[in-house]
PDB file of all heavy atoms in Angstrom:
ATOM      1  N   ARG K 209     109.034  64.747 -22.994  1.00  0.00           N
ATOM      2  CA  ARG K 209     110.274  64.163 -23.366  1.00  0.00           C
ATOM      3  C   ARG K 209     109.931  62.967 -24.337  1.00  0.00           C
ATOM      4  O   ARG K 209     110.666  62.699 -25.323  1.00  0.00           O
ATOM      5  CB  ARG K 209     111.048  63.684 -22.234  1.00  0.00           C
ATOM      6  CG  ARG K 209     112.350  62.934 -22.557  1.00  0.00           C
ATOM      7  CD  ARG K 209     113.329  63.782 -23.335  1.00  0.00           C
ATOM      8  NE  ARG K 209     114.529  63.120 -23.552  1.00  0.00           N
ATOM      9  CZ  ARG K 209     115.465  63.387 -24.483  1.00  0.00           C
ATOM     10  NH1 ARG K 209     115.145  64.455 -25.372  1.00  0.00           N
ATOM     11  NH2 ARG K 209     116.525  62.725 -24.678  1.00  0.00           N
ATOM     12  N   ARG K 210     108.929  62.227 -24.044  1.00  0.00           N
ATOM     13  CA  ARG K 210     108.548  61.048 -24.895  1.00  0.00           C
ATOM     14  C   ARG K 210     108.235  61.510 -26.314  1.00  0.00           C
ATOM     15  O   ARG K 210     108.615  60.950 -27.277  1.00  0.00           O
ATOM     16  CB  ARG K 210     107.333  60.397 -24.353  1.00  0.00           C
ATOM     17  CG  ARG K 210     107.584  59.601 -23.059  1.00  0.00           C
ATOM     18  CD  ARG K 210     106.305  58.903 -22.555  1.00  0.00           C
ATOM     19  NE  ARG K 210     106.500  58.395 -21.189  1.00  0.00           N
ATOM     20  CZ  ARG K 210     106.972  57.227 -20.984  1.00  0.00           C
ATOM     21  NH1 ARG K 210     107.322  56.410 -22.014  1.00  0.00           N
ATOM     22  NH2 ARG K 210     107.132  56.774 -19.733  1.00  0.00           N
ATOM     23  N   ARG K 211     107.416  62.574 -26.459  1.00  0.00           N
ATOM     24  CA  ARG K 211     107.130  63.147 -27.731  1.00  0.00           C
ATOM     25  C   ARG K 211     108.455  63.609 -28.492  1.00  0.00           C
ATOM     26  O   ARG K 211     108.578  63.378 -29.699  1.00  0.00           O
ATOM     27  CB  ARG K 211     106.176  64.364 -27.627  1.00  0.00           C
ATOM     28  CG  ARG K 211     104.727  63.894 -27.167  1.00  0.00           C
ATOM     29  CD  ARG K 211     103.753  65.051 -27.404  1.00  0.00           C
ATOM     30  NE  ARG K 211     103.986  66.148 -26.527  1.00  0.00           N
ATOM     31  CZ  ARG K 211     103.350  66.269 -25.401  1.00  0.00           C
ATOM     32  NH1 ARG K 211     102.442  65.429 -25.025  1.00  0.00           N
ATOM     33  NH2 ARG K 211     103.629  67.384 -24.639  1.00  0.00           N
ATOM     34  N   ASP K 212     109.303  64.207 -27.760  1.00  0.00           N
ATOM     35  CA  ASP K 212     110.613  64.702 -28.404  1.00  0.00           C
ATOM     36  C   ASP K 212     111.404  63.482 -28.882  1.00  0.00           C
ATOM     37  O   ASP K 212     111.971  63.515 -29.983  1.00  0.00           O
ATOM     38  CB  ASP K 212     111.389  65.461 -27.375  1.00  0.00           C
ATOM     39  CG  ASP K 212     110.786  66.835 -27.081  1.00  0.00           C
ATOM     40  OD1 ASP K 212     109.909  67.312 -27.917  1.00  0.00           O
ATOM     41  OD2 ASP K 212     111.212  67.405 -26.035  1.00  0.00           O
ATOM     42  N   LEU K 213     111.370  62.380 -28.150  1.00  0.00           N
ATOM     43  CA  LEU K 213     112.091  61.229 -28.506  1.00  0.00           C
ATOM     44  C   LEU K 213     111.556  60.593 -29.774  1.00  0.00           C
ATOM     45  O   LEU K 213     112.235  60.147 -30.667  1.00  0.00           O
ATOM     46  CB  LEU K 213     112.145  60.180 -27.321  1.00  0.00           C
ATOM     47  CG  LEU K 213     113.119  60.503 -26.146  1.00  0.00           C
ATOM     48  CD1 LEU K 213     112.938  59.395 -25.104  1.00  0.00           C
ATOM     49  CD2 LEU K 213     114.569  60.631 -26.682  1.00  0.00           C
ATOM     50  N   VAL K 214     110.216  60.495 -29.878  1.00  0.00           N
ATOM     51  CA  VAL K 214     109.628  59.965 -31.023  1.00  0.00           C
ATOM     52  C   VAL K 214     109.940  60.770 -32.320  1.00  0.00           C
ATOM     53  O   VAL K 214     110.299  60.249 -33.336  1.00  0.00           O
ATOM     54  CB  VAL K 214     107.990  59.978 -30.895  1.00  0.00           C
ATOM     55  CG1 VAL K 214     107.395  59.574 -32.233  1.00  0.00           C
ATOM     56  CG2 VAL K 214     107.613  59.003 -29.781  1.00  0.00           C
ATOM     57  N   LYS K 215     109.922  62.040 -32.124  1.00  0.00           N
ATOM     58  CA  LYS K 215     110.365  62.936 -33.220  1.00  0.00           C
ATOM     59  C   LYS K 215     111.853  62.731 -33.672  1.00  0.00           C
ATOM     60  O   LYS K 215     112.184  62.644 -34.764  1.00  0.00           O
ATOM     61  CB  LYS K 215     110.188  64.457 -32.886  1.00  0.00           C
ATOM     62  CG  LYS K 215     108.752  64.830 -32.712  1.00  0.00           C
ATOM     63  CD  LYS K 215     108.609  66.328 -32.319  1.00  0.00           C
ATOM     64  CE  LYS K 215     107.172  66.716 -32.112  1.00  0.00           C
ATOM     65  NZ  LYS K 215     107.100  68.153 -31.630  1.00  0.00           N
ATOM     66  N   GLN K 216     112.680  62.545 -32.663  1.00  0.00           N
ATOM     67  CA  GLN K 216     114.077  62.374 -32.858  1.00  0.00           C
ATOM     68  C   GLN K 216     114.361  61.028 -33.604  1.00  0.00           C
ATOM     69  O   GLN K 216     115.121  60.999 -34.497  1.00  0.00           O
ATOM     70  CB  GLN K 216     114.867  62.353 -31.512  1.00  0.00           C
ATOM     71  CG  GLN K 216     116.383  62.395 -31.605  1.00  0.00           C
ATOM     72  CD  GLN K 216     117.090  62.422 -30.284  1.00  0.00           C
ATOM     73  OE1 GLN K 216     116.447  62.704 -29.312  1.00  0.00           O
ATOM     74  NE2 GLN K 216     118.384  62.183 -30.310  1.00  0.00           N
ATOM     75  N   VAL K 217     113.599  59.956 -33.172  1.00  0.00           N
ATOM     76  CA  VAL K 217     113.771  58.629 -33.777  1.00  0.00           C
ATOM     77  C   VAL K 217     113.342  58.768 -35.307  1.00  0.00           C
ATOM     78  O   VAL K 217     114.067  58.191 -36.202  1.00  0.00           O
ATOM     79  CB  VAL K 217     112.945  57.634 -33.067  1.00  0.00           C
ATOM     80  CG1 VAL K 217     112.907  56.331 -33.910  1.00  0.00           C
ATOM     81  CG2 VAL K 217     113.546  57.212 -31.729  1.00  0.00           C
ATOM     82  N   LYS K 218     112.283  59.421 -35.499  1.00  0.00           N
ATOM     83  CA  LYS K 218     111.739  59.574 -36.921  1.00  0.00           C
ATOM     84  C   LYS K 218     112.738  60.316 -37.830  1.00  0.00           C
ATOM     85  O   LYS K 218     113.050  59.925 -38.925  1.00  0.00           O
ATOM     86  CB  LYS K 218     110.391  60.262 -36.905  1.00  0.00           C
ATOM     87  CG  LYS K 218     109.255  59.413 -36.401  1.00  0.00           C
ATOM     88  CD  LYS K 218     107.939  60.191 -36.414  1.00  0.00           C
ATOM     89  CE  LYS K 218     106.778  59.329 -36.033  1.00  0.00           C
ATOM     90  NZ  LYS K 218     105.534  60.118 -36.068  1.00  0.00           N
ATOM     91  N   VAL K 219     113.395  61.350 -37.203  1.00  0.00           N
ATOM     92  CA  VAL K 219     114.378  62.094 -37.955  1.00  0.00           C
ATOM     93  C   VAL K 219     115.537  61.277 -38.300  1.00  0.00           C
ATOM     94  O   VAL K 219     116.092  61.294 -39.512  1.00  0.00           O
ATOM     95  CB  VAL K 219     114.792  63.377 -37.102  1.00  0.00           C
ATOM     96  CG1 VAL K 219     116.066  63.989 -37.755  1.00  0.00           C
ATOM     97  CG2 VAL K 219     113.753  64.374 -37.098  1.00  0.00           C
ATOM     98  N   GLU K 220     116.094  60.458 -37.338  1.00  0.00           N
ATOM     99  CA  GLU K 220     117.256  59.631 -37.626  1.00  0.00           C
ATOM    100  C   GLU K 220     116.952  58.528 -38.655  1.00  0.00           C
ATOM    101  O   GLU K 220     117.734  58.239 -39.511  1.00  0.00           O
ATOM    102  CB  GLU K 220     117.720  58.951 -36.309  1.00  0.00           C
ATOM    103  CG  GLU K 220     118.219  59.851 -35.297  1.00  0.00           C
ATOM    104  CD  GLU K 220     119.539  60.645 -35.696  1.00  0.00           C
ATOM    105  OE1 GLU K 220     120.208  60.131 -36.615  1.00  0.00           O
ATOM    106  OE2 GLU K 220     119.742  61.645 -35.108  1.00  0.00           O
ATOM    107  N   ILE K 221     115.701  57.961 -38.582  1.00  0.00           N
ATOM    108  CA  ILE K 221     115.305  56.927 -39.497  1.00  0.00           C
ATOM    109  C   ILE K 221     115.186  57.531 -40.915  1.00  0.00           C
ATOM    110  O   ILE K 221     115.665  56.920 -41.927  1.00  0.00           O
ATOM    111  CB  ILE K 221     114.075  56.213 -39.163  1.00  0.00           C
ATOM    112  CG1 ILE K 221     114.257  55.403 -37.870  1.00  0.00           C
ATOM    113  CG2 ILE K 221     113.488  55.367 -40.278  1.00  0.00           C
ATOM    114  CD1 ILE K 221     113.022  54.831 -37.334  1.00  0.00           C
ATOM    115  N   GLU K 222     114.660  58.673 -41.029  1.00  0.00           N
ATOM    116  CA  GLU K 222     114.494  59.380 -42.327  1.00  0.00           C
ATOM    117  C   GLU K 222     115.841  59.668 -42.953  1.00  0.00           C
ATOM    118  O   GLU K 222     116.097  59.570 -44.147  1.00  0.00           O
ATOM    119  CB  GLU K 222     113.670  60.591 -42.141  1.00  0.00           C
ATOM    120  CG  GLU K 222     113.198  61.226 -43.530  1.00  0.00           C
ATOM    121  CD  GLU K 222     112.414  60.294 -44.395  1.00  0.00           C
ATOM    122  OE1 GLU K 222     111.701  59.461 -43.916  1.00  0.00           O
ATOM    123  OE2 GLU K 222     112.567  60.435 -45.651  1.00  0.00           O
ATOM    124  N   LYS K 223     116.808  60.135 -42.104  1.00  0.00           N
ATOM    125  CA  LYS K 223     118.163  60.398 -42.554  1.00  0.00           C
ATOM    126  C   LYS K 223     118.734  59.262 -43.172  1.00  0.00           C
ATOM    127  O   LYS K 223     119.396  59.205 -44.234  1.00  0.00           O
ATOM    128  CB  LYS K 223     119.048  60.977 -41.413  1.00  0.00           C
ATOM    129  CG  LYS K 223     118.792  62.388 -41.025  1.00  0.00           C
ATOM    130  CD  LYS K 223     119.689  62.682 -39.841  1.00  0.00           C
ATOM    131  CE  LYS K 223     119.430  64.089 -39.324  1.00  0.00           C
ATOM    132  NZ  LYS K 223     120.370  64.445 -38.172  1.00  0.00           N
ATOM    133  N   SER K 224     118.592  58.035 -42.509  1.00  0.00           N
ATOM    134  CA  SER K 224     119.153  56.804 -43.019  1.00  0.00           C
ATOM    135  C   SER K 224     118.520  56.419 -44.288  1.00  0.00           C
ATOM    136  O   SER K 224     119.191  55.942 -45.247  1.00  0.00           O
ATOM    137  CB  SER K 224     118.984  55.748 -41.934  1.00  0.00           C
ATOM    138  OG  SER K 224     119.571  54.491 -42.356  1.00  0.00           O
ATOM    139  N   LYS K 225     117.098  56.578 -44.358  1.00  0.00           N
ATOM    140  CA  LYS K 225     116.515  56.270 -45.682  1.00  0.00           C
ATOM    141  C   LYS K 225     117.001  57.106 -46.813  1.00  0.00           C
ATOM    142  O   LYS K 225     117.247  56.600 -47.912  1.00  0.00           O
ATOM    143  CB  LYS K 225     114.974  56.464 -45.517  1.00  0.00           C
ATOM    144  CG  LYS K 225     114.208  55.432 -44.636  1.00  0.00           C
ATOM    145  CD  LYS K 225     112.748  55.748 -44.633  1.00  0.00           C
ATOM    146  CE  LYS K 225     111.962  54.731 -43.776  1.00  0.00           C
ATOM    147  NZ  LYS K 225     110.553  55.075 -43.750  1.00  0.00           N
ATOM    148  N   ILE K 226     117.142  58.378 -46.539  1.00  0.00           N
ATOM    149  CA  ILE K 226     117.575  59.239 -47.584  1.00  0.00           C
ATOM    150  C   ILE K 226     118.966  58.869 -48.038  1.00  0.00           C
ATOM    151  O   ILE K 226     119.347  58.849 -49.265  1.00  0.00           O
ATOM    152  CB  ILE K 226     117.579  60.723 -47.163  1.00  0.00           C
ATOM    153  CG1 ILE K 226     116.103  61.152 -46.883  1.00  0.00           C
ATOM    154  CG2 ILE K 226     118.290  61.596 -48.089  1.00  0.00           C
ATOM    155  CD1 ILE K 226     115.970  62.553 -46.207  1.00  0.00           C
ATOM    156  N   SER K 227     119.876  58.516 -47.086  1.00  0.00           N
ATOM    157  CA  SER K 227     121.201  58.121 -47.381  1.00  0.00           C
ATOM    158  C   SER K 227     121.249  56.923 -48.226  1.00  0.00           C
ATOM    159  O   SER K 227     121.942  56.806 -49.303  1.00  0.00           O
ATOM    160  CB  SER K 227     122.009  57.847 -46.114  1.00  0.00           C
ATOM    161  OG  SER K 227     123.234  57.410 -46.373  1.00  0.00           O
ATOM    162  N   CYS K 228     120.340  55.885 -47.961  1.00  0.00           N
ATOM    163  CA  CYS K 228     120.376  54.660 -48.763  1.00  0.00           C
ATOM    164  C   CYS K 228     119.808  54.910 -50.096  1.00  0.00           C
ATOM    165  O   CYS K 228     120.261  54.326 -51.101  1.00  0.00           O
ATOM    166  CB  CYS K 228     119.501  53.559 -48.022  1.00  0.00           C
ATOM    167  SG  CYS K 228     120.294  52.839 -46.551  1.00  0.00           S
ATOM    168  N   ARG K 229     118.821  55.781 -50.179  1.00  0.00           N
ATOM    169  CA  ARG K 229     118.184  56.133 -51.562  1.00  0.00           C
ATOM    170  C   ARG K 229     119.262  56.818 -52.424  1.00  0.00           C
ATOM    171  O   ARG K 229     119.325  56.558 -53.572  1.00  0.00           O
ATOM    172  CB  ARG K 229     117.055  57.020 -51.356  1.00  0.00           C
ATOM    173  CG  ARG K 229     115.831  56.368 -50.718  1.00  0.00           C
ATOM    174  CD  ARG K 229     114.586  57.261 -50.882  1.00  0.00           C
ATOM    175  NE  ARG K 229     113.437  56.837 -50.004  1.00  0.00           N
ATOM    176  CZ  ARG K 229     113.036  57.519 -48.904  1.00  0.00           C
ATOM    177  NH1 ARG K 229     113.670  58.709 -48.557  1.00  0.00           N
ATOM    178  NH2 ARG K 229     112.081  56.999 -48.222  1.00  0.00           N
ATOM    179  N   ASN K 230     120.025  57.702 -51.810  1.00  0.00           N
ATOM    180  CA  ASN K 230     121.074  58.378 -52.587  1.00  0.00           C
ATOM    181  C   ASN K 230     122.138  57.429 -53.098  1.00  0.00           C
ATOM    182  O   ASN K 230     122.618  57.534 -54.170  1.00  0.00           O
ATOM    183  CB  ASN K 230     121.712  59.441 -51.739  1.00  0.00           C
ATOM    184  CG  ASN K 230     120.858  60.651 -51.378  1.00  0.00           C
ATOM    185  OD1 ASN K 230     119.874  60.897 -52.177  1.00  0.00           O
ATOM    186  ND2 ASN K 230     121.127  61.384 -50.409  1.00  0.00           N
ATOM    187  N   VAL K 231     122.511  56.422 -52.246  1.00  0.00           N
ATOM    188  CA  VAL K 231     123.449  55.456 -52.649  1.00  0.00           C
ATOM    189  C   VAL K 231     122.886  54.706 -53.842  1.00  0.00           C
ATOM    190  O   VAL K 231     123.582  54.352 -54.836  1.00  0.00           O
ATOM    191  CB  VAL K 231     123.834  54.543 -51.473  1.00  0.00           C
ATOM    192  CG1 VAL K 231     124.668  53.379 -51.987  1.00  0.00           C
ATOM    193  CG2 VAL K 231     124.643  55.275 -50.387  1.00  0.00           C
ATOM    194  N   ARG K 232     121.641  54.196 -53.729  1.00  0.00           N
ATOM    195  CA  ARG K 232     120.997  53.397 -54.745  1.00  0.00           C
ATOM    196  C   ARG K 232     120.940  54.153 -56.047  1.00  0.00           C
ATOM    197  O   ARG K 232     121.176  53.617 -57.087  1.00  0.00           O
ATOM    198  CB  ARG K 232     119.572  53.018 -54.304  1.00  0.00           C
ATOM    199  CG  ARG K 232     118.832  52.194 -55.319  1.00  0.00           C
ATOM    200  CD  ARG K 232     117.443  51.718 -54.807  1.00  0.00           C
ATOM    201  NE  ARG K 232     116.650  52.898 -54.613  1.00  0.00           N
ATOM    202  CZ  ARG K 232     115.476  52.903 -54.005  1.00  0.00           C
ATOM    203  NH1 ARG K 232     114.942  51.728 -53.575  1.00  0.00           N
ATOM    204  NH2 ARG K 232     114.820  53.975 -53.901  1.00  0.00           N
ATOM    205  N   GLN K 233     120.599  55.508 -55.945  1.00  0.00           N
ATOM    206  CA  GLN K 233     120.481  56.273 -57.179  1.00  0.00           C
ATOM    207  C   GLN K 233     121.851  56.444 -57.873  1.00  0.00           C
ATOM    208  O   GLN K 233     122.004  56.265 -59.064  1.00  0.00           O
ATOM    209  CB  GLN K 233     119.961  57.645 -56.852  1.00  0.00           C
ATOM    210  CG  GLN K 233     119.737  58.543 -58.075  1.00  0.00           C
ATOM    211  CD  GLN K 233     118.782  57.991 -59.014  1.00  0.00           C
ATOM    212  OE1 GLN K 233     117.645  57.585 -58.696  1.00  0.00           O
ATOM    213  NE2 GLN K 233     119.123  57.868 -60.300  1.00  0.00           N
ATOM    214  N   LYS K 234     122.918  56.650 -57.074  1.00  0.00           N
ATOM    215  CA  LYS K 234     124.291  56.770 -57.673  1.00  0.00           C
ATOM    216  C   LYS K 234     124.718  55.453 -58.262  1.00  0.00           C
ATOM    217  O   LYS K 234     125.344  55.441 -59.332  1.00  0.00           O
ATOM    218  CB  LYS K 234     125.213  57.193 -56.568  1.00  0.00           C
ATOM    219  CG  LYS K 234     125.079  58.552 -55.955  1.00  0.00           C
ATOM    220  CD  LYS K 234     126.110  58.880 -54.895  1.00  0.00           C
ATOM    221  CE  LYS K 234     125.942  60.287 -54.420  1.00  0.00           C
ATOM    222  NZ  LYS K 234     126.916  60.546 -53.252  1.00  0.00           N
ATOM    223  N   SER K 235     124.309  54.351 -57.654  1.00  0.00           N
ATOM    224  CA  SER K 235     124.680  53.033 -58.201  1.00  0.00           C
ATOM    225  C   SER K 235     123.928  52.774 -59.527  1.00  0.00           C
ATOM    226  O   SER K 235     124.543  52.288 -60.437  1.00  0.00           O
ATOM    227  CB  SER K 235     124.397  51.894 -57.195  1.00  0.00           C
ATOM    228  OG  SER K 235     125.084  52.079 -56.053  1.00  0.00           O
ATOM    229  N   ASN K 236     122.694  53.106 -59.569  1.00  0.00           N
ATOM    230  CA  ASN K 236     121.902  52.981 -60.784  1.00  0.00           C
ATOM    231  C   ASN K 236     122.472  53.837 -61.967  1.00  0.00           C
ATOM    232  O   ASN K 236     122.569  53.349 -63.069  1.00  0.00           O
ATOM    233  CB  ASN K 236     120.428  53.341 -60.567  1.00  0.00           C
ATOM    234  CG  ASN K 236     119.654  52.208 -59.831  1.00  0.00           C
ATOM    235  OD1 ASN K 236     120.051  51.073 -59.912  1.00  0.00           O
ATOM    236  ND2 ASN K 236     118.606  52.551 -59.120  1.00  0.00           N
ATOM    237  N   ASP K 237     122.854  55.041 -61.567  1.00  0.00           N
ATOM    238  CA  ASP K 237     123.367  55.942 -62.594  1.00  0.00           C
ATOM    239  C   ASP K 237     124.793  55.334 -63.116  1.00  0.00           C
ATOM    240  O   ASP K 237     125.017  55.355 -64.298  1.00  0.00           O
ATOM    241  CB  ASP K 237     123.658  57.352 -61.994  1.00  0.00           C
ATOM    242  CG  ASP K 237     122.359  58.018 -61.661  1.00  0.00           C
ATOM    243  OD1 ASP K 237     121.334  57.644 -62.226  1.00  0.00           O
ATOM    244  OD2 ASP K 237     122.421  59.071 -60.893  1.00  0.00           O
ATOM    245  N   GLU K 238     125.556  54.834 -62.219  1.00  0.00           N
ATOM    246  CA  GLU K 238     126.826  54.224 -62.660  1.00  0.00           C
ATOM    247  C   GLU K 238     126.663  52.988 -63.515  1.00  0.00           C
ATOM    248  O   GLU K 238     127.293  52.842 -64.500  1.00  0.00           O
ATOM    249  CB  GLU K 238     127.701  53.951 -61.388  1.00  0.00           C
ATOM    250  CG  GLU K 238     129.045  53.430 -61.714  1.00  0.00           C
ATOM    251  CD  GLU K 238     129.966  54.395 -62.493  1.00  0.00           C
ATOM    252  OE1 GLU K 238     129.635  55.570 -62.506  1.00  0.00           O
ATOM    253  OE2 GLU K 238     130.950  53.962 -63.100  1.00  0.00           O
ATOM    254  N   LEU K 239     125.691  52.135 -63.132  1.00  0.00           N
ATOM    255  CA  LEU K 239     125.480  50.926 -63.907  1.00  0.00           C
ATOM    256  C   LEU K 239     124.906  51.346 -65.292  1.00  0.00           C
ATOM    257  O   LEU K 239     125.199  50.680 -66.312  1.00  0.00           O
ATOM    258  CB  LEU K 239     124.452  50.085 -63.162  1.00  0.00           C
ATOM    259  CG  LEU K 239     124.910  49.299 -61.989  1.00  0.00           C
ATOM    260  CD1 LEU K 239     123.807  48.589 -61.224  1.00  0.00           C
ATOM    261  CD2 LEU K 239     126.071  48.312 -62.381  1.00  0.00           C
ATOM    262  N   LYS K 240     124.092  52.394 -65.311  1.00  0.00           N
ATOM    263  CA  LYS K 240     123.580  52.845 -66.611  1.00  0.00           C
ATOM    264  C   LYS K 240     124.718  53.442 -67.441  1.00  0.00           C
ATOM    265  O   LYS K 240     124.747  53.233 -68.682  1.00  0.00           O
ATOM    266  CB  LYS K 240     122.536  53.890 -66.357  1.00  0.00           C
ATOM    267  CG  LYS K 240     121.829  54.410 -67.638  1.00  0.00           C
ATOM    268  CD  LYS K 240     120.742  55.459 -67.322  1.00  0.00           C
ATOM    269  CE  LYS K 240     120.038  55.933 -68.666  1.00  0.00           C
ATOM    270  NZ  LYS K 240     118.938  56.914 -68.311  1.00  0.00           N
ATOM    271  N   ARG K 241     125.664  54.093 -66.839  1.00  0.00           N
ATOM    272  CA  ARG K 241     126.800  54.765 -67.605  1.00  0.00           C
ATOM    273  C   ARG K 241     127.615  53.644 -68.246  1.00  0.00           C
ATOM    274  O   ARG K 241     128.035  53.819 -69.404  1.00  0.00           O
ATOM    275  CB  ARG K 241     127.637  55.564 -66.612  1.00  0.00           C
ATOM    276  CG  ARG K 241     128.784  56.295 -67.288  1.00  0.00           C
ATOM    277  CD  ARG K 241     129.647  56.978 -66.353  1.00  0.00           C
ATOM    278  NE  ARG K 241     130.491  56.012 -65.567  1.00  0.00           N
ATOM    279  CZ  ARG K 241     131.555  55.382 -66.049  1.00  0.00           C
ATOM    280  NH1 ARG K 241     131.977  55.643 -67.231  1.00  0.00           N
ATOM    281  NH2 ARG K 241     132.184  54.494 -65.293  1.00  0.00           N
ATOM    282  N   ILE K 242     127.853  52.497 -67.624  1.00  0.00           N
ATOM    283  CA  ILE K 242     128.642  51.539 -68.197  1.00  0.00           C
ATOM    284  C   ILE K 242     127.859  50.525 -68.960  1.00  0.00           C
ATOM    285  O   ILE K 242     128.396  49.474 -69.307  1.00  0.00           O
ATOM    286  CB  ILE K 242     129.531  50.821 -67.053  1.00  0.00           C
ATOM    287  CG1 ILE K 242     128.584  50.063 -66.058  1.00  0.00           C
ATOM    288  CG2 ILE K 242     130.424  51.729 -66.381  1.00  0.00           C
ATOM    289  CD1 ILE K 242     129.367  49.296 -64.993  1.00  0.00           C
ATOM    290  N   GLY K 243     126.550  50.707 -69.044  1.00  0.00           N
ATOM    291  CA  GLY K 243     125.743  49.885 -69.917  1.00  0.00           C
ATOM    292  C   GLY K 243     125.259  48.589 -69.320  1.00  0.00           C
ATOM    293  O   GLY K 243     124.965  47.640 -70.062  1.00  0.00           O
ATOM    294  N   TRP K 244     125.160  48.567 -67.954  1.00  0.00           N
ATOM    295  CA  TRP K 244     124.782  47.252 -67.326  1.00  0.00           C
ATOM    296  C   TRP K 244     123.620  47.394 -66.470  1.00  0.00           C
ATOM    297  O   TRP K 244     123.348  46.584 -65.585  1.00  0.00           O
ATOM    298  CB  TRP K 244     125.994  46.714 -66.505  1.00  0.00           C
ATOM    299  CG  TRP K 244     126.909  45.956 -67.382  1.00  0.00           C
ATOM    300  CD1 TRP K 244     127.991  46.411 -68.160  1.00  0.00           C
ATOM    301  CD2 TRP K 244     126.794  44.548 -67.596  1.00  0.00           C
ATOM    302  NE1 TRP K 244     128.578  45.403 -68.816  1.00  0.00           N
ATOM    303  CE2 TRP K 244     127.946  44.268 -68.508  1.00  0.00           C
ATOM    304  CE3 TRP K 244     126.063  43.474 -67.180  1.00  0.00           C
ATOM    305  CZ2 TRP K 244     128.157  42.949 -68.953  1.00  0.00           C
ATOM    306  CZ3 TRP K 244     126.290  42.244 -67.643  1.00  0.00           C
ATOM    307  CH2 TRP K 244     127.371  41.932 -68.527  1.00  0.00           C
ATOM    308  N   ARG K 245     122.830  48.447 -66.545  1.00  0.00           N
ATOM    309  CA  ARG K 245     121.682  48.528 -65.769  1.00  0.00           C
ATOM    310  C   ARG K 245     120.526  47.703 -66.210  1.00  0.00           C
ATOM    311  O   ARG K 245     119.853  47.058 -65.417  1.00  0.00           O
ATOM    312  CB  ARG K 245     121.138  50.084 -65.717  1.00  0.00           C
ATOM    313  CG  ARG K 245     119.945  50.250 -64.893  1.00  0.00           C
ATOM    314  CD  ARG K 245     119.483  51.663 -64.778  1.00  0.00           C
ATOM    315  NE  ARG K 245     118.319  51.792 -64.041  1.00  0.00           N
ATOM    316  CZ  ARG K 245     117.691  52.921 -63.840  1.00  0.00           C
ATOM    317  NH1 ARG K 245     118.142  54.121 -64.300  1.00  0.00           N
ATOM    318  NH2 ARG K 245     116.598  53.032 -63.094  1.00  0.00           N
TER     319      ARG K 245
END
């Protein structure tokens, strides 16, 4: 169960990282579109 929990925590953290990266990329694209990047 300990090993499963470690895997589960890593999965949740990676999901959060991917979500933040996607937000950052969308923001960069939008700032570039309006000429303010």
Side-chain angles (χ1 to χ4, degrees):
R209 178 60 178 160
R210 290 179 190 276
R211 287 195 293 266
D212 290 341
L213 286 177
V214 171
K215 292 178 182 178
Q216 188 177 349
V217 168
K218 288 182 178 179
V219 168
E220 295 297 338
I221 292 175
E222 189 58 32
K223 287 181 181 178
S224 182
K225 286 182 179 179
I226 292 172
S227 178
C228 287
R229 290 191 196 110
N230 289 339
V231 172
R232 182 178 62 188
Q233 184 60 52
K234 289 179 181 178
S235 300
N236 282 334
D237 291 344
E238 182 61 17
L239 289 172
K240 184 177 181 179
R241 184 187 70 80
I242 62 177
W244 276 86
R245 180 177 177 182

